[in-house]
Amino acid sequence: MKVRLAVISEAERLWFIRNQAIRVGCHESYAQEIIKAWTPDKMPDFYRENIIEHPFFVAVDDDDIPIATGLFDTKRNTFDTIFTLPEYFKSGSGSLIVNALKQEAKKA
């Protein structure tokens, strides 16, 4: 696995990763109706804007397909929205994202 910056053409894939991570990872902590409200299938426009406006990192598999995501919010100088596909939970992909975000924070 490696980490790189996301490209806008991957927006739908990144939204899918986000939704799957929440739907699987949060099902024991939140009611189903809350999870459903947080994870609409239709991606909102602001999500695409986040990819353009902020360093938005992806961990990718051997075929360069994103499996985990993380965003560095340049307005608040924080990292945010770290998500991993459920089948890659505990694979180290989240740690790769966190390390990339730490480097971005150091630059900021």
Side-chain angles (χ1 to χ4, degrees):
M1 284 182 287
K2 67 178 184 174
V3 174
R4 62 169 170 74
L5 288 171
V7 294
I8 196 66
S9 63
E10 296 172 320
E12 296 287 340
R13 170 77 179 176
L14 307 183
W15 183 252
F16 174 79
I17 292 169
R18 173 198 178 276
N19 283 352
Q20 292 306 303
I22 293 170
R23 290 171 183 167
V24 173
C26 296
H27 77 277
E28 292 182 9
S29 300
Y30 296 96
Q32 189 61 36
E33 60 270 8
I34 292 172
I35 291 173
K36 187 175 180 181
W38 283 345
T39 60
D41 289 330
K42 184 178 184 318
M43 182 183 72
D45 291 337
F46 78 83
Y47 196 77
R48 192 177 309 278
E49 293 165 11
N50 279 337
I51 296 169
I52 295 167
E53 293 177 8
H54 304 283
F56 201 120
F57 293 95
V58 293
V60 296
D61 65 12
D62 292 338
D63 295 320
D64 201 42
I65 298 172
I67 59 170
T69 69
L71 174 134
F72 184 79
D73 186 324
T74 55
K75 294 176 182 155
R76 296 182 301 165
N77 285 332
T78 59
F79 26 115
D80 198 358
T81 63
I82 301 168
F83 298 110
T84 302
L85 282 174
E87 58 267 33
Y88 289 94
F89 286 177
K90 299 184 181 183
S91 69
S93 58
S95 294
L96 290 173
I97 294 288
V98 169
N99 288 337
L101 292 169
K102 284 180 183 180
Q103 292 302 314
E104 195 66 32
K106 287 178 185 178
K107 290 193 296 186

